[in-house]
Amino acid sequence: MNTVVNTNGASFERLNFEMNSEINQNLNLNNTFLARFSRHTAESIIHDMLSIPVTPLESEQLIEQWLGVDVSHAAGGNDWQYYYNDQYAIAAVPVDLLDDSQIDQATETAYSLLFEKINQWGYPYLIRTWNFIPDITSDQGAVDNYQLFCSGRTRAYQNATASPTTYPAATVIGTARPGLYVYFIASKTDGIGIENSQQVSAFNYPREYSEDPPLFSRALLHRNRQQEILFISGTASITGHSTQYADDVNRQMEVCISNIENLLSTAIAEHQFLPTTLQECAHIKVYLRHAHDLDAIRTHIRLYLGPNVPVYFLQGDMCRPDLLVEIEALTFNDLL
Ligand code: 3EB
């Protein structure tokens, strides 16, 4: 099932991507971030996957659009819609399923359903997730929603019947509204997990951060027949397992960039990712805890990224109270 053949009869495996911040007055999307799927840049049929309550900092709305040619969408059962090509499926967990539960229960439900669905659809490998949760941190000492999220995710992994796969690249960001929001990319084939020698792998963090470990890879490298993709997880100012520069958003940003540079050079040196620089990546997303840090960080980050990389700023909270910034990145190389 699910084999989509384009008009040439060749399989279509690529992922493409664009972001835009055009304002469509007909859509009431102010102060939201929208994940979308479309068959083509110029395609008029667009499918909104998920509207996420994190605030774009440089425009009223920000739209992340995943693109593919000869891609169909299909109802996945219940409220599930998913979009796919010959290699990847992309979808959001229906928000309605999760409304009133505690975050650990909601996360366990979301990920259990997600695993069930991607297996049914024939894309059993989860390679990238984006997760948004309310009240991500709480007062010192208490179990916070981030830790509950980690527990729910771990339980879903423990209950999943499929054999273990590489942990996906991931982003987890706190919002100011209730509800769990998850969207993700799954694949027919597994990716390669990449860890950062400057950081303890999150799945090996000591228990002080969460009772159950954060199950994600620092980066995930995925190859299809046409391109290779490096998904770099939400990356914070953490060295070893400790937060660096608790009060200094500029220094934190530099640690994030250094961590990302290290992931990129590890992919190149150890996994034959084609040589490419941070300055050439498809985009960078910067989540800031405080909107008032935007001007300083926007100027400062260009020193590291050069003039060409599109950078998008969103307001969101991090999973530790002392983190002020988190950065994710995406890089594609064409394979000839
Ligand atoms: C960190 O490095 C920062 O639990 O899936 C970043 C990206 C973080 C993903 C996750 C957590 C997650 O620990 C937090």
Side-chain angles (χ1 to χ4, degrees), residues 55-272:
T55 308
L57 290 174
E58 295 185 299
S59 56
E60 299 257 307
Q61 55 190 240
L62 184 64
I63 297 172
E64 173 175 310
Q65 189 156 312
W66 292 87
L67 304 165
V69 175
D70 278 351
V71 179
S72 302
H73 71 110
N78 301 325
D79 299 326
W80 287 76
Q81 289 282 325
Y82 69 109
Y83 308 95
Y84 60 87
N85 63 14
D86 291 319
Q87 183 61 243
Y88 303 104
I90 181 164
V93 178
V95 199
D96 307 355
L97 296 176
L98 307 169
D99 264 358
D100 297 324
S101 331
Q102 288 275 92
I103 289 299
D104 54 344
Q105 186 53 54
T107 305
E108 183 180 349
T109 304
Y111 274 80
S112 298
L113 287 169
L114 183 166
F115 289 139
E116 188 188 309
K117 294 295 179 187
I118 63 178
N119 278 301
Q120 275 173 19
W121 300 339
Y123 300 83
Y125 297 96
L126 182 63
I127 61 172
R128 183 58 167 112
T129 72
W130 289 267
N131 309 268
F132 302 86
I133 61 179
D135 303 321
I136 189 165
T137 56
S138 60
D139 296 336
Q140 210 68 35
V143 174
D144 60 37
N145 271 349
Y146 177 64
Q147 296 173 55
L148 292 174
F149 171 87
C150 288
S151 293
R153 177 170 54 182
T154 295
R155 295 206 296 260
Y157 266 98
Q158 287 166 347
N159 297 337
T161 49
S163 46
T165 64
T166 307
Y167 294 125
T171 295
V172 183
I173 290 295
T175 70
R177 290 239 306 271
L180 170 66
Y181 297 80
V182 179
Y183 70 103
F184 60 91
I185 302 172
S187 172
K188 290 192 175 178
T189 58
D190 206 357
I192 299 166
I194 295 176
E195 295 300 309
N196 178 353
S197 57
Q198 297 167 351
Q199 296 187 301
V200 173
S201 293
F203 46 80
N204 291 328
Y205 275 167
R207 290 279 188 88
E208 64 190 273
Y209 300 105
S210 57
E211 179 71 16
D212 295 299
L215 301 182
F216 71 99
S217 296
R218 296 296 183 187
L220 187 135
L221 168 56
H222 197 268
R223 289 193 177 88
N224 60 54
R225 276 182 275 187
Q226 288 135 10
Q227 62 186 171
E228 54 177 12
I229 308 172
L230 187 64
F231 297 96
I232 296 182
S233 292
T235 301
S237 176
I238 294 172
T239 303
H241 56 75
S242 307
T243 300
Q244 307 297 308
Y245 305 112
D247 315 313
D248 189 332
V249 69
N250 283 287
R251 297 287 89 74
Q252 285 202 11
M253 187 272 288
E254 292 170 349
V255 177
C256 297
I257 293 290
S258 157
N259 280 329
I260 291 172
E261 294 271 23
N262 198 47
L263 288 164
L264 191 55
S265 50
T266 303
I268 295 165
E270 295 176 18
H271 303 280
Q272 296 78 48

